[in-house]
Amino acid sequence: MAILGDAEQEELVSEINVTPLVDVMLVLLTVFIVTAPLLMNAVKVKLPKASAEVAITVPKTAHISITDAGDVFLDQQKLALDTLTSKLGSLKQQQDPAVEIYADEHAEYGIVAKVLAAIQRAGISKFSFVMSPEAGR
């Protein structure tokens, strides 16, 4: 506001100063105009042709079940914990299996931990726990 004389009263300006807004919009427009051609510039390459057939290999899945009594089953065959590592190792040599663990909710944590250790010793890195969905969902 300008300094006014004693006789003149100051008037309030109730308008928005749009000059800074216009300046910012012009800068943004300039940046967009400069960078847009750079985004569209791509190196032209001639891509090789490939067959449309997709080779899908289904990995072998091993199922380990642990009952509430502590029994361990590998693909419905009862095993001792000592032999589980060797069985999983032989599966690993044939192909890289994925292991699904079906543990009873009342199974001891120690048995499940030993099964996980056997999976790790066999060198298998893909495993998952299988659970039933909760009722009411």
Side-chain angles (χ1 to χ4, degrees):
M1 295 211 180
I3 299 176
L4 302 174
D6 293 336
E8 300 176 12
Q9 294 180 349
E10 295 182 20
E11 293 182 21
L12 293 175
V13 178
S14 61
E15 298 173 358
I16 296 176
N17 189 2
V18 294
T19 305
L21 178 65
V22 171
D23 290 345
V24 170
M25 296 310 279
L26 286 174
V27 168
L28 289 175
L29 181 64
T30 305
V31 168
F32 178 73
I33 289 172
V34 169
T35 58
L38 297 175
L39 296 175
M40 299 298 168
N41 240 355
V43 177
K44 302 240 186 243
V45 268
K46 189 173 183 180
L47 297 175
K49 304 288 184 209
S51 66
E53 296 177 17
V54 178
I56 299 175
T57 57
V58 179
K60 167 115 174 73
T61 304
H63 303 279
I64 297 178
S65 302
I66 305 168
T67 64
D68 58 347
D71 297 328
V72 178
F73 293 86
L74 175 63
D75 292 330
Q76 299 180 352
Q77 178 185 6
K78 187 175 180 179
L79 294 175
L81 277 174
D82 302 337
T83 59
L84 182 61
T85 303
S86 62
K87 290 284 189 180
L88 289 173
S90 64
L91 277 176
K92 173 77 174 167
Q93 289 175 354
Q94 294 171 1
Q95 59 181 334
D96 192 16
V99 176
E100 292 181 350
I101 302 170
Y102 297 85
D104 190 273
E105 64 181 342
H106 298 294
E108 291 183 27
Y109 175 75
I111 303 289
V112 177
K114 288 178 184 177
V115 168
L116 289 173
I119 292 171
Q120 183 181 17
R121 281 192 302 269
I124 297 173
S125 59
K126 295 181 280 190
F127 67 92
S128 61
F129 286 95
V130 180
M131 296 175 227
S132 298
E134 289 185 23
R137 288 196 180 211

